[in-house]
Amino acid sequence: MTSKRELVFRAIRGEEVERVPVGFWFHFVILEEKGQGLNNPRIFQKSVEGHRKYVERIHPDFVKMMSDGFFIYPSNVYSPKVTSLQELASIESIGENHPWIQQQVEVVEAIRATFTEDIASFYNIFSPISYLKRWFRTETSRGDKEVSDLFLENPELFRDVLDVIAEDIAILTKKIIQDGGADGIYLSTQEIQDERITAELYQTYIEPSNIKVLEAANQVGGVNILHICGFQGASNNVTIFKDYPAQVFNWATHHEAVSLPQGQELFHGKAVLGGFENGKQSLLYGGRKAALQEETKRLLAEAGTRGVLLGADCTVPDDFELERLDWIRQAAMLE
């Protein structure tokens, strides 16, 4: 019997498997704590314990380690009150020894130390543009308009700001893999949700920072998942990500109306992850066992069983019933 770790990597390489790997993930801290983990042992331990209990209870095929607590990138220019791009022009690298980097390496080590079996693990990292947007998030805005306004002031300077952030995220990425022991990263990115920022502008001025992070992971042997984050209120032209240097691609198959087989073709035959809608109105969240297993078999009949990992469009709700993962895993066993 193939180990779970080898099963996952065989699937990623597009090789024959006895069953298709399955994985879902959710957060282990509350909303307010997601950016409050720096120098906070309580949130650090809460994340470690959450991962431990999840793995012990469900024995997943692979683990996406959440960066809970570290959602806010610290910087000498960090402020949600920035109104001009010039205020970010003096941005400097935080440096490889910054606690925000070191403590994330430590949390990865601590999470992996709780594993009771050898399973593949990938650490959640946001793209530079996503970290920048989080500076401007409020109860009424996800930061898209604010960063678009900054972008349009001076696209070249905006690209330079993202490049500084990308350098630090690249350092984090390498350390997570080399020192923390993660197998790779799960890089979450998306288009800016503002019609003024076209696909061409995105590719010219924002894409280089995404690529820099993935290339850093590849340089140290990471096996990486690109997550194109789409949901109600956030849509992407997934074709602009088709040539990214990742080994696995995950996107909102339902929201973007791009099926797993269409993604296999779009992403040049690389491994695809997903298939299930993740919201509370979805079959995944509330459907009966028989219906969920029937949908599993339908997805595999459509996409095949090589280069496929079953999962969701994005993070599942915190009250997701974990036994549902096993229902899907049972249905994904090949005869």
Side-chain angles (χ1 to χ4, degrees):
M1 177 69 69
T2 304
S3 70
K4 289 180 181 177
R5 182 183 185 83
E6 182 57 22
L7 175 72
V8 168
F9 287 120
R10 285 177 61 180
I12 291 173
R13 294 192 297 264
E15 298 173 3
E16 185 177 346
V17 293
E18 61 262 27
R19 68 175 176 84
V20 173
V22 179
F24 299 105
W25 37 85
F26 49 87
H27 296 290
F28 300 103
V29 303
I30 63 175
L31 178 63
E32 292 76 12
E33 295 172 326
K34 289 180 180 178
Q36 300 175 352
L38 181 60
N39 299 321
N40 190 324
R42 181 186 63 82
I43 294 178
F44 183 105
Q45 195 58 35
K46 187 175 183 179
S47 176
V48 173
E49 281 300 298
H51 284 87
R52 180 188 66 78
K53 292 176 181 178
Y54 166 68
V55 172
E56 286 184 356
R57 178 178 172 187
I58 204 65
H59 302 288
D61 293 333
F62 60 96
V63 176
K64 176 196 170 189
M65 297 179 289
M66 290 297 195
S67 53
D68 287 344
F70 297 95
F71 278 30
I72 304 297
Y73 166 77
S75 168
N76 64 305
V77 296
Y78 166 59
S79 171
K81 297 181 180 180
V82 167
T83 59
S84 170
L85 185 61
Q86 286 300 320
E87 296 176 60
L88 304 183
S90 61
I91 190 171
E92 298 176 352
S93 168
I94 62 175
E96 63 178 333
N97 296 318
H98 193 285
W100 188 77
I101 291 178
Q102 295 299 327
Q103 289 171 27
Q104 288 189 78
V105 174
E106 291 167 8
V107 80
V108 168
E109 290 181 298
I111 291 170
R112 293 187 68 255
T114 68
F115 292 171
T116 55
E117 58 182 324
D118 187 22
I119 50 179
S121 57
F122 307 88
Y123 186 66
N124 179 72
I125 285 181
F126 293 104
S127 63
I129 186 62
S130 296
Y131 282 116
L132 185 59
K133 283 202 302 182
R134 287 186 176 276
W135 286 358
F136 302 96
R137 291 187 73 162
T138 66
E139 292 183 358
T140 58
S141 172
R142 300 185 64 86
D144 294 281
K145 179 185 182 301
E146 291 82 354
V147 297
S148 296
D149 290 342
L150 298 179
F151 177 96
L152 293 170
E153 278 186 43
N154 187 331
E156 288 79 11
L157 177 57
F158 191 89
R159 179 172 54 194
D160 292 342
V161 170
L162 285 183
D163 188 61
V164 174
I165 300 174
E167 287 289 347
D168 286 337
I169 307 308
I171 291 170
L172 171 64
T173 292
K174 289 182 177 181
K175 284 182 170 290
I176 287 297
I177 297 169
Q178 290 181 307
D179 301 337
D183 291 294
I185 61 171
Y186 178 98
L187 182 67
S188 176
T189 193
Q190 65 179 193
E191 288 188 84
I192 299 179
Q193 304 300 301
D194 190 303
E195 62 184 11
R196 295 173 295 172
I197 311 302
T198 64
E200 292 73 22
L201 287 174
Y202 187 95
Q203 289 180 295
T204 301
Y205 296 103
I206 297 171
E207 181 176 288
S209 61
N210 292 339
I211 299 296
K212 179 171 286 189
V213 176
L214 285 171
E215 288 182 340
N218 288 333
Q219 288 167 11
V220 292
V223 177
N224 310 300
I225 302 168
L226 179 71
H227 171 58
I228 307 165
C229 189
F231 48 87
Q232 186 175 5
S235 298
N236 299 279
N237 173 6
V238 296
T239 63
I240 71 175
F241 302 95
K242 65 184 180 66
D243 296 318
Y244 274 39
Q247 289 77 40
V248 186
F249 289 80
N250 172 231
W251 68 98
T253 54
H254 294 77
H255 184 70
E256 313 291 10
V258 178
S259 67
L260 289 179
Q262 289 171 326
Q264 289 169 319
E265 182 176 356
L266 176 65
F267 298 117
H268 311 295
K270 291 186 177 180
V272 295
L273 165 62
F276 289 96
E277 187 177 3
N278 61 301
K280 288 199 171 187
Q281 304 304 314
S282 67
L283 173 67
L284 175 65
Y285 182 84
R288 294 181 179 274
K289 179 178 179 179
L292 197 52
Q293 292 190 325
E294 181 180 344
E295 175 65 5
T296 300
K297 292 183 180 297
R298 186 195 70 78
L299 287 171
L300 295 181
E302 185 178 70
T305 58
R306 293 195 179 201
V308 174
L309 297 88
L310 292 176
D313 290 347
C314 197
T315 306
V316 298
D318 293 350
D319 59 351
F320 179 74
E321 297 172 342
L322 294 178
E323 63 180 339
R324 293 175 172 276
L325 185 149
D326 264 337
W327 296 350
I328 294 172
R329 198 155 50 186
Q330 294 163 16
M333 184 72 71
L334 309 183
E335 300 178 355

